[in-house]
Amino acid sequence: MGYIYKAAVIGGGTMGGGIAQVISFSGLPVIIKDINQDMVDKGIEAARQVYASRVSKGKMTQNEMDQKMMLISGTTTYEGFDDVDLVIEAVTERMDIKKAVFKELDEVCPASCILTSNTSALSISELGAATKRPDKVIGMHFFNPAPVMKLVEIIPGLETSEDTINDVMEFTSGLRKMPVRVEECAGFLVNRLLMPFFNEAVFAAQEGAASLREIDKAVTDRGMPMGPFFLADMLGVDVCYHVQHILHEEYGTRMAPAKLIDKLYAAKRWGAKTGAGFYVQDGTQDEAFAEKAIAEVQAETGIKGTSFSFERLILPMINEAAYALQEKVASPNDIDIAMMAGAGMADKSGPKGPLALADEMGLDVVVAKLEELQAELGERFRPAPLLKRKVRAGHLGVKTRKGFKEYSGELETV
Ligand code: 3HC
């Protein structure tokens, strides 16, 4: 069992800066390393902003903020890495770049140092294989905004040791975050479930089933914290594009990206970071871009005028949760906890994960609706085998006291 006294974050982007704030807040020193000084400064500034907002709300004093900020240092070299205990890599989502970083880290960090990656969807085992310490390489996936979202997915690779897993779980709890262990698979848990929901929202928009704003509103009206387009603009349409393509490559047709995502990506409509995504953020770019792109997609695909419902978006998420469950990626409780703590998933009554939601709807209803949508909109809605098995066994959810989860209380006799 090793202890973590000093950490480092590679990459001063949105996530890097947020993660450094989280680590310093827990009282540990942290180095932000990037290849250019601008990015190092941006990362430090992002952390400063989070603290400044706490000071302005009276949640901490200026003096406390100064002390926390003194724990964060920046570098463009690997200075100070000779005694780091844990590194979190948060650079561009490209395997070649990440592998090069891991090779360098393997050389400059002490042999005992744990190397983690904040990748959204790439293989941890592949990153481990790029080092001479695959037993000490593990995924540590934070959620955006990192200072706020409680979840950290902990993803062991094929060769990650139990000691490394335990150390990283404990370190994460020490950051006042909630670690959930997830078996390695493309998109891990939250992105694997969130992206089919987002992708279906894009299909609905590009087919003219409803407008971007109507779809976002339908989602927040049901109690979710953000609509899918508002969220994508915050996360980065480029990030969603990359994750969706990785999922498509790994899982096949049911994850095929809606064309509108590719069009936004190609036009650099990447959301807040480029001033415009689905929505215009800074008032200087073409307000009608999304509308024109939608018209283009309709001309190319010949598909328009499909119908919209909230179920159309949430059922692909529930279906993917069933696939993840049948692959034993995580337990039913962990799946729901991850979606609540990592993506703020909720309904009108409060936080609620997709499996609890499915149990409330009734798994027979879920399967019937998926089959209806499959007939109307295509193969991506084909129900996961586990869902059908549960229905055949009479495990229909809350109404039979057994579905994805078990419910206490007597069954009402009719
Ligand atoms: N950075 C730092 N702090 C922030 C922040 C940011 N970007 N945005 C909001 N906050 C803080 C606020 O300051 C506030 O702090 P306080 O409680 O100390 O006053 C707190 O968060 C709540 O903020 P608000 O009251 O302004 O707003 P909301 O109640 O609407 O909550 C939210 C904001 C927590 C972001 C909520 O909208 C939410 O849960 N959204 C869903 C986000 C999500 O799904 N993220 C995961 C996406 S997937 C991902 O990241 C994986 C990647 O690989 C793609």
Side-chain angles (χ1 to χ4, degrees):
M1 166 77 214
Y3 291 97
I4 316 292
Y5 295 110
K6 181 176 173 185
V9 175
I10 313 295
T14 323
M15 289 307 279
I19 295 168
Q21 186 274 333
V22 170
I23 296 173
S24 63
F25 193 53
S26 80
L28 287 182
V30 55
I31 309 173
I32 299 181
K33 194 256 170 204
D34 205 301
I35 43 176
N36 69 60
Q37 189 61 41
D38 262 9
M39 289 305 289
V40 172
D41 295 343
K42 267 196 184 144
I44 295 177
E45 188 47 35
R48 188 188 311 280
Q49 294 281 331
V50 177
Y51 282 125
S53 144
R54 291 184 66 82
V55 170
S56 70
K57 287 179 193 158
K59 293 192 166 183
M60 73 193 308
T61 64
Q62 183 63 47
N63 186 31
E64 283 164 340
M65 166 175 166
D66 295 343
Q67 303 221 340
K68 297 290 185 199
M69 282 306 295
M70 272 163 55
L71 292 168
I72 306 179
S73 58
T75 179
T76 53
T77 66
Y78 282 109
E79 196 190 332
F81 275 63
D82 51 342
D83 62 350
V84 288
D85 301 307
L86 182 138
V87 181
I88 301 172
E89 166 278 310
V91 304
T92 309
E93 201 67 345
R94 269 184 37 200
M95 187 47 98
D96 54 340
I97 298 178
K98 286 190 190 281
K99 271 188 180 168
V101 168
F102 270 72
K103 278 207 177 100
E104 283 175 15
L105 288 170
D106 205 21
E107 277 163 28
V108 299
C109 297
S112 58
C113 179
I114 295 174
L115 305 180
T116 80
S117 174
N118 181 51
T119 176
S120 301
L122 295 172
S123 166
I124 301 301
S125 299
E126 196 173 343
L127 286 174
T131 72
K132 294 189 199 80
R133 61 179 96 189
D135 58 315
K136 292 196 165 58
V137 173
I138 190 164
M140 225 186 143
H141 185 213
F142 289 77
F143 293 82
N144 194 342
V148 187
M149 305 312 286
K150 284 281 164 226
L151 180 72
V152 181
E153 289 178 327
I154 307 297
I155 310 111
L158 278 176
E159 294 194 48
T160 312
S161 70
E162 282 301 317
D163 275 354
T164 300
I165 299 169
N166 293 336
D167 287 352
V168 170
M169 295 287 280
E170 199 170 302
F171 170 67
T172 305
S173 302
L175 299 178
R176 288 176 251 194
K177 296 284 183 193
M178 195 182 281
V180 168
R181 180 176 171 168
V182 176
E183 291 312 308
E184 187 177 3
C185 65
F188 313 133
L189 194 49
V190 173
N191 278 337
R192 178 173 173 177
L193 269 57
L194 194 59
M195 284 301 149
F197 168 85
F198 164 68
N199 198 33
E200 196 52 41
V202 184
F203 271 117
Q206 79 181 29
E207 293 169 3
S211 71
L212 300 178
R213 279 181 211 287
E214 282 165 348
I215 296 171
D216 270 355
K217 184 169 181 308
V219 168
T220 51
D221 280 353
R222 295 295 279 257
M224 300 276 276
M226 286 177 174
F229 304 116
F230 188 83
L231 178 63
D233 278 358
M234 178 186 92
L235 294 178
V237 175
D238 56 328
V239 175
C240 298
Y241 166 93
H242 287 303
V243 175
Q244 193 65 48
H245 279 268
I246 291 169
L247 297 180
H248 183 207
E249 209 175 296
E250 192 80 5
Y251 300 114
T253 332
R254 73 175 188 271
M255 294 284 194
K259 279 191 162 205
L260 183 60
I261 303 177
D262 294 355
K263 286 199 185 284
L264 263 73
Y265 178 77
K268 283 221 168 197
R269 300 271 301 202
W270 292 356
K273 66 177 87 167
T274 58
F278 286 95
Y279 299 116
V280 171
Q281 316 266 337
D282 64 3
T284 65
Q285 299 187 44
D286 183 6
E287 292 271 357
F289 179 89
E291 239 170 76
K292 287 187 234 162
I294 286 171
E296 272 173 37
V297 174
Q298 290 179 356
E300 285 161 22
T301 61
I303 305 174
K304 65 176 185 183
T306 56
S307 55
F308 178 74
S309 65
F310 177 72
E311 282 67 33
R312 178 176 171 176
L313 312 191
I314 204 73
L315 287 172
M317 181 196 282
I318 291 172
N319 207 28
E320 200 55 39
Y323 277 113
L325 197 55
Q326 79 190 32
E327 288 168 27
K328 303 194 187 327
V329 171
S331 68
N333 270 343
D334 279 356
I335 290 178
D336 275 358
I337 286 171
M339 292 308 289
M340 293 185 280
M345 198 171 162
D347 72 0
K348 285 276 189 209
S349 66
K352 187 167 290 160
L355 298 177
L357 199 61
D359 278 352
E360 275 182 21
M361 289 169 79
L363 301 193
D364 49 342
V365 176
V366 167
V367 169
K369 287 200 168 169
L370 278 166
E371 283 171 344
E372 254 173 53
L373 288 163
Q374 183 188 351
E376 187 190 332
L377 299 169
E379 269 304 292
R380 63 186 184 276
F381 288 94
R382 178 182 288 278
L386 180 63
L387 268 170
K388 292 202 252 184
R389 264 176 85 197
K390 287 199 177 277
V391 172
R392 288 184 193 121
H395 297 186
L396 305 183
V398 178
K399 61 188 164 193
T400 60
R401 301 284 178 262
K402 222 182 227 184
F404 283 116
K405 302 179 185 189
E406 300 209 350
Y407 300 86
S408 56
E410 291 298 306
L411 265 183
E412 283 169 32
T413 44
V414 186

